[in-house]
């Protein structure tokens, strides 16, 4: 599937019209419901195939850090495509058992690329980058399917994290 075909398929599957409150608190008349494409195996595979070339080289991003919840399936498929290990990053470290923020392999002193589905203000990605760094990870890159172009790239850049988006919201507009 070509990139333009993928854009059309994503819009058809996941763009909703209505009144939606976003995580950032903003209200939007369009909503990109990532679960509608993440639950479709064929569409998810195409998204991962197109995302893979956007990843930095392994020396700069040895681990794929899938952010809860939507980044996890993307990280799993990207791991399959690239052979790079994935870790699964919670919004908060669990208070029991291993009490980890990131599940999977060790992250200390490792270079991570955070994997996210849709970035709006970048709030959760910024918090995740800070938390991962507090645990010794090196985070310089984040990859997403859709950048809503609502300040997320700038917020991440202020944290020293480059956002690479497969699509910008303006590319998926009617």
């Amino acid at each position: 599937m070509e990139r333009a075909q993928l854009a059309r398929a994503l819009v058809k599957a996941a763009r909703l019209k209505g009144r939606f409150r976003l995580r950032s608190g903003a209200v939007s008349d369009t909503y990109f419901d990532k679960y509608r494409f993440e639950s479709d195996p064929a569409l998810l595979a195409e998204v991962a195939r197109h995302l893979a070339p956007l990843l930095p080289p392994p020396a700069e991003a040895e681990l794929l850090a899938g952010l809860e919840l939507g980044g996890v399936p993307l990280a799993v498929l990207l791991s399959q495509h690239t052979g790079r290990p994935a870790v699964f990053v919670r919004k908060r470290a669990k208070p029991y058992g291993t009490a980890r923020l990131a599940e999977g392999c060790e992250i200390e002193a490792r270079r991570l690329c955070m994997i996210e589905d849709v970035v709006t203000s970048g709030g959760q990605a910024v918090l995740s980058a800070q938390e991962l760094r507090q645990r010794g990870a090196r985070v310089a890159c984040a990859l997403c399917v859709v950048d809503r172009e609502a300040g997320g790239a700038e917020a991440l850049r202020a944290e020293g994290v480059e956002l690479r988006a497969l699509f910008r919201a303006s590319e998926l507009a009617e």
Side-chain angles (χ1 to χ4, degrees):
M1 182 181 296
E2 297 295 324
R3 188 174 184 277
Q5 291 172 300
L6 178 59
R8 286 190 297 276
L10 288 174
V11 166
K12 183 178 179 185
R15 189 175 60 200
L16 307 176
K17 297 284 190 181
R19 183 172 163 79
F20 306 95
R21 181 162 308 278
L22 306 177
R23 182 191 179 281
S24 65
V27 175
S28 176
D29 62 349
T30 60
Y31 184 74
F32 197 81
D33 187 349
K34 66 261 182 186
Y35 300 115
R36 291 187 176 209
F37 77 80
E38 289 182 345
S39 62
D40 178 326
L43 195 49
L44 182 59
E46 282 297 319
V47 167
R49 188 173 71 78
H50 284 269
L51 279 173
L54 300 179
L55 283 169
E60 296 174 24
E62 59 189 298
L63 298 178
L64 307 175
L67 304 186
E68 181 184 341
L69 176 64
V72 171
L74 292 165
V76 169
L77 259 68
L78 280 169
S79 178
Q80 287 291 306
H81 277 276
T82 65
R84 295 187 213 183
V87 294
F88 311 116
V89 181
R90 298 174 182 277
K91 290 182 179 165
R92 287 175 290 289
K94 64 181 183 178
Y96 57 89
T98 60
R100 290 179 176 238
L101 176 74
E103 299 288 353
C105 58
E106 295 300 322
I107 62 168
E108 187 173 352
R110 309 279 301 270
R111 288 176 164 78
L112 278 62
C113 180
M114 296 189 307
I115 309 298
E116 186 65 292
D117 43 28
V118 178
V119 172
T120 302
S121 68
Q124 185 58 52
V126 166
L127 291 173
S128 294
Q130 292 169 346
E131 294 265 343
L132 289 164
R133 287 174 173 159
Q134 287 173 7
R135 287 158 175 82
R138 298 181 202 163
V139 182
C141 180
L143 189 64
C144 71
V145 179
V146 178
D147 174 1
R148 285 185 58 96
E149 300 174 289
E154 295 78 12
L156 284 161
R157 188 172 22 262
E159 285 292 317
V161 177
E162 174 194 6
L163 180 64
R164 297 179 179 190
L166 179 56
F167 295 105
R168 304 209 184 312
S170 57
E171 294 177 282
L172 301 177
E174 294 177 283

